[in-house]
Structure formats: structure tokens, C-alpha cells
Amino acid sequence: MNVGVAHSEVNPNTRVMNSRGMWLTYALGVGLLHIVLLSIPFFSVPVAWTLTNVIHNLGMYVFLHAVKGTPFETPDQGKARLLTHWEQLDYGVQFTSSRKFFTISPIILFIAASPGDETRDCVDDITSGATRSVSASCNNAATDFARKRTPLLATVIHEEGIIYRVSMLILNKAAGVFSKPSRREIYEFLRSFNFRPGKVFLHKLVLGIETSCDDTAAAVVDETGNVLGEAIHSQTEVHLKTGGIVPPVAQQLHRENIQRIVQEALSTSKVSPSELSAIATTVKPGLALSLGVGLSFSLQLVDQLKKPFIPIHHMEAHALTIRLLNKVEFPFLVLLISGGHCLLALVRGVSDFLLLGKSLDIAPGDMLDKVARRLSLIKHPECSTMSGGKAIEHLAKQGNKLHFDFKPPMQRAKNCDFSFTGLQHVIDKIITQKEKEEGIQKGQILSSAAHIAAAVQHTTACHIAKRTHRAILFCKQRDLLSQSNAVLVVSGGVASNLYIRKALEIVTNATQCTLLCPPPRLCTDNGIMIAWNGIERLRAGLGILHNTEGIRYEPKCPLGVDISKEVGEAAIKVPRLKLKI
């Protein structure tokens, strides 16, 4: 490529290098790179400058030689071969405007960002007390300092996070026309950064708030899946005494605890509210009175902080929790089983679900709770502090699952729907019959309580396993799931039942699927799953509201597109599996 002066040709590189867009892009790119490097606490200013200069020069090296084709040597151009590639850029002129700019800009950045002795002392003071949180007085001092120096950036500093604050420091240092700030002013300003070695928030941060039922929960999660802080208040003990969840009681408990729980999650995470990217809150489905508390509190917080709001579907959050822990790609099959829900769905995207089947009456968790209350397990010394489902699972270990022959529901229906009411009625009759046989009053513990618990747990597991087996076969038959690398995710409160998990593991082994379950603490309702769902939606750009006017909670809300009728019409026969657990 002849681009030297020997042929008196117009150098094509000159047009590119003289374009305004090139200068602007380069200035913004190098400036942002330097700011990012400076914001890393364990990088000193010289290190940041050196890295900027090295990366800048490597970038120009690649651009000039690899991209634009400027030759290293020009054997066919006579005297032009003695010229450097810089000289060949602009007709042999040694110190062109290009070279001036690319040589001087890193030096200016170094001068602009290099703190004096006083500033360096302040940084040392701050990083030595690295775990200190930002106080209101420090934030105010930082804002006042900014207004004195550069009024335009004062608002930015007050509202935004560390990148803007570091930018402010650099620009103030570069603009020497302003009066030199005192040591105290710089100290207060730098304290507002809330320096924490090894923990810099240069990515998305979401506060998740969950109040769909009887747990008040909050968490702060970043886009890499790190749980920075969480808090939860369980109402289990209160509802055990009342014999179940009483919505007005749950509402009052949410009101009493939500502010404390959110503050605790933020405090644990050491994240300033101004650093949050968005606030995500469960708005559907759930108990109306409980959802209302979380939504009302969140909207007030959103209004105060001027942050985006992300309304969350509770079941969607349960379904996507597994992606916080594992690299699960879409599509995958999800089974959600809890105290309020039971469904099978194909997850094709963050908010793209195909509903294969659901419970036609009550949820499995609700049924197990009712059986536990009918057995009066709260009076059992080993189960007095456990929820109904936990009590059944615990007591079942001591019983014989074959002592009672309970038939799984809907055996003739070749679909993926569930039903648990009929099983509950059968168990009620058995318990009443046994009370008469043993001559005890209702409310006393049967001698066969452990056998009943084991039988009902086994029957429930068989029913859930068979419907899930059919869902897997349907999805593979329609090429909705991979034939050899399919994933079944099981989540929700009942997913923490290890007996039911083992039954599902038998199904996945028989169908060459991978079974994934979140840990028990993430199967039950929690703020982490809500925050993570917010992260997922931020990434996908879905459902991010900057105006919350008209937002409402929805106690009842379907998940995705219902194709359960199509599943029933397929009438897939499920092979018999022996559930040896």
C-alpha cells in the first residue's frame, strides 16, 4: 500500500484521522478508561496512568498497522522508506496534530488525576477505615464542595455514584482556575465515595422487596449474581398459633417490619441508596393485603430516590432464581411447587413462558399444611415450631409409606394439570376413622400419625413426578427441549422437600435430563430472587418503569401463554417408574 510522500498521493489515513468523530470518540474512550482505572481502590494514580498510556498506545498501534494498514516499512518508495509511520500519516511532517494529541493526552490525564500530598493523605486515611458507611453529613459536604467548584456537576454528584464522583475529582484538579480546596473539603468529599477495597460498584445493583405472602424480605444483588446484603422477617410462628395465614395479620406484620428489613439489607450490603440501578418489588400474584404493603413502600422509595421501578411476577422470580447460581440457558422446564402455586412451564426467555399445566384447585404446600393441622402436629414435641410441610416431611421419616394406600389423583387424565383437594378429603376421612378406632378426640395426636404423614408425602411425590414426566416427554416430542441436554428446574417452598426431590430425580434420570434445584433457603420466598429477577429484566430491557403512575398489584395473575389444552390433546402415555426412595 503506497501511502508515503514519494508518489505524491493523498494519504487515505489522513481523512480518517482528521475527522471530528475520530477525535471525539478517542477522547471519550480514553477519558472513560482512565476514570474506570482510577476508581479501582487498589490502583495507585501512577498505576492507573501507566495502564491508560499502555492501553492507548497498544490501541493506536493496532489501529494504524492492523486496521488502517499503515506499513512498518515501505521498500518501494525510495526515500519514503526512511520515514516513520507517524511521518507517513501526514506527508512526512514529523510532529503532526495527530501525534501531538496522542502524545499529550495521557500526560494531561496524569496531571489532572494526580492528587497532591494533602489529597493522598486523605485517601490513605479513608482506605484505612475502609468499612465506614456514608453518612448524611459527608454526602452534604461533598455536594457543597462540588457547588463551590463546579456547580454544573454538583447535582450529578449528589444523585449518582462513584464514576461521576471520580470524574468530579479529575475535572476539579484539571481546572486549576478554581481556588484550591482545603484539606478538610477534600477529605469530606472523598469520604462520600465510601471506599471499600476490592468492592467497586461499576455495574447494575438492584434492591428487591418481597411481601407476596407471609415473609417480609429484601436483598441487594449485583448483575454478576453477588448477594451483597439480605434480610428477612418470617411470620411462621405467628401463623402457626392462628392455625394458618390470616391476611390482616400478615398485612400488619409487613407494615411493622418492612422499613427495618429494607434498611438492614442496604446496611449489610454497604450500598448507598443513590448507587442502586433500580428497585424491584413483587406485585403479582399473592395475598392482596400483603402485596399492597410492599408496593406502597416501594413506590415511596422510588419517588424519593428517583430510581426506575421494576414490577415482578412472583412465579417468574422463582423460575429464574436458578440462573443466579448456575449457567442455565433458555429454554428449560420449570416446576414451581409451593404453598400457593403448582405449575409446569417451559421457560423460553426472561418473560417468555409456555404454561403446560397447573393445579386445578389447591397447591401441594397448602394441602400438606392442612393435613398437618388436621393431625395436630403443632402439639407434637418434635414439630411444634415447624411449618405444616416441614412437619410432614420430618414425621414421615418415622412412618411406613405403604401402611395406607392413597391413590394418586387424576390417574386417567393424560395432561400435566394437578389436583390435591380430593387427596386431602380422603386423608381427612382416614384421620376421622382412626380417631374413632383409637378413641381419641379431634386435636389429639394419633399413634399412626407418622404413617399417615409418610403415605401422604409419597402419594404427593408420585402425583407430581408423573405430571412432570409427561411434561418432559411432551416438550421433547415437540422439540421444545433438547433431546440430550434438557434441564428441569424445581423451585418454590415445596421444592425444599427432599423426598419429592428424589422422586423427581428418578424421573430426570429416566429421561436424560438434568435436575437443578436452588438451595432450600432460596426455594422459599425471599428478597434475593426478586432482586435477581430485577437484574434479569434490566439486562433484557423489559418492564423497567420510569413512571409508576397507574401501577397496581394483582392478587391473581397467570404465568405466560397457556398451552395446557394442547398438552392434554397430545395424550402422552407415561411409562411406569418405580419410585424407590
Side-chain angles (χ1 to χ4, degrees):
M1 179 179 177
N2 298 325
V3 295
V5 297
H7 298 277
S8 299
E9 297 176 357
V10 175
N11 189 334
N13 294 311
T14 303
R15 300 193 196 99
V16 176
M17 301 311 293
N18 286 340
S19 65
R20 294 180 181 178
M22 179 64 188
W23 299 116
L24 180 61
T25 302
Y26 180 81
L28 291 175
V30 174
L32 180 60
L33 170 66
H34 198 60
I35 290 170
V36 171
L37 292 175
L38 281 171
S39 68
I40 301 176
F42 47 82
F43 275 9
S44 65
V45 172
V47 168
W49 172 80
T50 302
L51 286 175
T52 302
N53 207 14
V54 168
I55 295 171
H56 141 261
N57 281 300
L58 285 175
M60 285 311 303
Y61 182 83
V62 172
F63 178 80
L64 290 171
H65 292 299
V67 180
K68 296 308 300 176
T70 304
F72 291 95
E73 187 176 11
T74 55
D76 63 333
Q77 294 188 19
K79 293 181 179 180
R81 68 183 300 175
L82 302 177
L83 302 177
T84 66
H85 67 274
W86 283 104
E87 292 168 322
Q88 294 176 48
L89 263 177
D90 209 358
Y91 295 99
V93 177
Q94 173 64 34
F95 205 65
T96 64
S97 57
S98 304
R99 188 167 190 180
K100 291 175 185 177
F101 179 78
F102 293 137
T103 303
I104 295 173
S105 56
I107 299 173
I108 294 175
L109 283 171
F110 173 68
I111 296 172
S114 299
D117 294 336
E118 291 182 349
T119 309
R120 191 175 294 108
D121 291 341
C122 293
V123 174
D124 292 338
D125 291 341
I126 293 161
T127 52
S128 64
T131 58
R132 276 181 251 172
S133 62
V134 179
S135 66
S137 61
C138 289
N139 278 328
N140 291 336
T143 307
D144 291 340
F145 167 63
R147 286 198 184 100
K148 292 176 184 177
R149 309 302 168 207
T150 47
L152 180 61
L153 290 176
T155 304
V156 175
I157 289 178
H158 184 70
E159 296 293 340
E160 302 297 338
I162 191 168
I163 289 294
Y164 291 106
R165 294 174 181 176
V166 173
S167 304
M168 179 63 193
L169 178 63
I170 294 173
L171 291 173
N172 273 310
K173 187 70 179 180
V177 295
F178 297 107
S179 59
K180 185 177 180 180
S182 67
R183 175 180 176 136
R184 180 63 183 173
E185 285 177 321
I186 297 177
Y187 176 75
E188 292 294 350
F189 174 62
L190 290 175
R191 279 193 62 193
S192 70
F193 286 16
N194 197 18
F195 278 105
R196 288 176 295 277
K199 192 174 186 179
V200 182
F201 303 119
L202 303 179
H203 42 248
K204 295 177 178 67
L205 294 168
V206 172
L207 168 65
I209 299 175
E210 156 65 14
T211 62
S212 66
C213 191
D214 61 335
D215 287 327
T216 310
V220 178
V221 176
D222 70 14
E223 65 179 324
T224 62
N226 291 322
V227 179
L228 305 177
E230 65 169 314
I232 186 168
H233 175 265
S234 176
Q235 303 177 5
T236 301
E237 291 186 15
V238 174
H239 296 308
L240 280 174
K241 295 176 182 177
T242 58
I245 299 174
V246 181
V249 175
Q251 179 190 44
Q252 184 58 33
L253 290 172
H254 282 309
R255 284 175 176 168
E256 292 174 1
N257 292 284
I258 188 167
Q259 184 172 351
R260 175 181 61 83
I261 290 299
V262 171
Q263 287 179 340
E264 188 177 327
L266 285 169
S267 177
T268 305
S269 69
K270 294 183 172 60
V271 169
S272 168
S274 66
E275 293 175 311
L276 295 172
S277 304
I279 295 172
T281 303
T282 307
V283 299
K284 58 187 176 183
L287 297 177
L289 296 179
S290 295
L291 289 170
V293 175
L295 180 58
S296 177
F297 181 86
S298 299
L299 292 183
Q300 290 179 21
L301 200 58
V302 165
D303 185 59
Q304 291 172 5
L305 299 175
K306 307 301 180 187
K307 297 293 181 180
F309 179 67
I310 306 177
I312 299 297
H313 191 301
H314 187 74
M315 293 295 99
E316 180 182 302
H318 270 305
L320 298 179
T321 300
I322 196 66
R323 283 164 54 87
L324 172 74
L325 309 164
N326 302 81
K327 291 183 179 180
V328 181
E329 300 295 332
F330 300 119
F332 61 87
L333 186 65
V334 66
L335 168 66
L336 301 179
I337 41 178
S338 66
H341 302 276
C342 182
L343 60 87
L344 277 161
L346 182 72
V347 187
R348 301 191 298 182
V350 172
S351 63
D352 185 3
F353 292 76
L354 293 180
L355 184 65
L356 306 177
K358 61 183 183 300
S359 177
L360 302 177
D361 36 61
I362 63 175
D366 187 19
M367 185 270 294
L368 293 173
D369 285 344
K370 289 177 178 177
V371 172
R373 286 198 295 273
R374 184 65 183 86
L375 287 171
S376 302
L377 295 188
I378 193 172
K379 296 180 181 179
H380 196 288
E382 296 178 15
C383 307
S384 59
T385 60
M386 297 180 183
S387 64
K390 287 290 184 184
I392 292 289
E393 182 179 9
H394 177 78
L395 205 60
K397 297 174 184 176
Q398 306 169 23
N400 179 5
K401 64 186 178 185
L402 303 178
H403 189 86
F404 294 95
D405 186 20
F406 298 141
K407 301 295 182 184
M410 302 179 70
Q411 287 185 297
R412 295 184 180 180
K414 292 184 173 63
N415 55 33
C416 291
D417 289 328
F418 303 85
S419 175
F420 297 95
T421 298
L423 177 59
Q424 182 200 329
H425 290 331
V426 171
I427 295 167
D428 282 345
K429 290 181 180 179
I430 293 292
I431 293 173
T432 301
Q433 179 184 333
K434 286 297 176 182
E435 286 173 342
K436 290 179 180 179
E437 291 177 4
E438 295 184 17
I440 63 174
Q441 296 294 319
K442 183 177 180 179
Q444 294 180 290
I445 300 176
L446 289 169
S447 61
S448 57
H451 298 317
I452 294 174
V456 68
Q457 179 178 252
H458 178 71
T459 306
T460 301
C462 290
H463 180 45
I464 292 174
K466 186 171 184 179
R467 317 316 273 188
T468 304
H469 193 171
R470 179 173 287 113
I472 294 172
L473 296 177
F474 173 83
C475 289
K476 288 195 172 186
Q477 186 184 89
R478 301 298 175 90
D479 288 327
L480 297 173
L481 280 177
S482 169
Q483 297 295 326
S484 60
N485 197 28
V487 173
L488 170 66
V489 173
V490 184
S491 190
V494 179
S496 61
N497 184 299
L498 297 181
Y499 190 92
I500 294 176
R501 282 196 190 191
K502 289 178 182 177
L504 291 168
E505 189 174 354
I506 293 172
V507 171
T508 53
N509 288 338
T511 54
Q512 290 79 50
C513 286
T514 300
L515 175 65
L516 295 176
C517 302
R521 74 184 187 92
L522 294 182
C523 283
T524 54
D525 294 349
N526 60 86
I528 296 173
M529 70 179 192
I530 305 303
W532 176 248
N533 198 177
I535 290 289
E536 292 267 29
R537 284 184 162 269
L538 271 180
R539 285 174 172 174
L542 297 170
I544 305 164
L545 305 181
H546 296 276
N547 183 357
T548 57
E549 185 177 353
I551 187 73
R552 299 286 185 272
Y553 57 81
E554 301 176 52
K556 294 183 179 181
C557 181
L559 178 68
V561 178
D562 190 344
I563 63 167
S564 57
K565 185 177 180 181
E566 185 180 338
V567 176
E569 291 172 351
I572 296 175
K573 187 175 181 180
V574 177
R576 184 182 296 275
L577 294 178
K578 292 184 178 180
L579 300 181
K580 295 181 179 180
I581 306 174

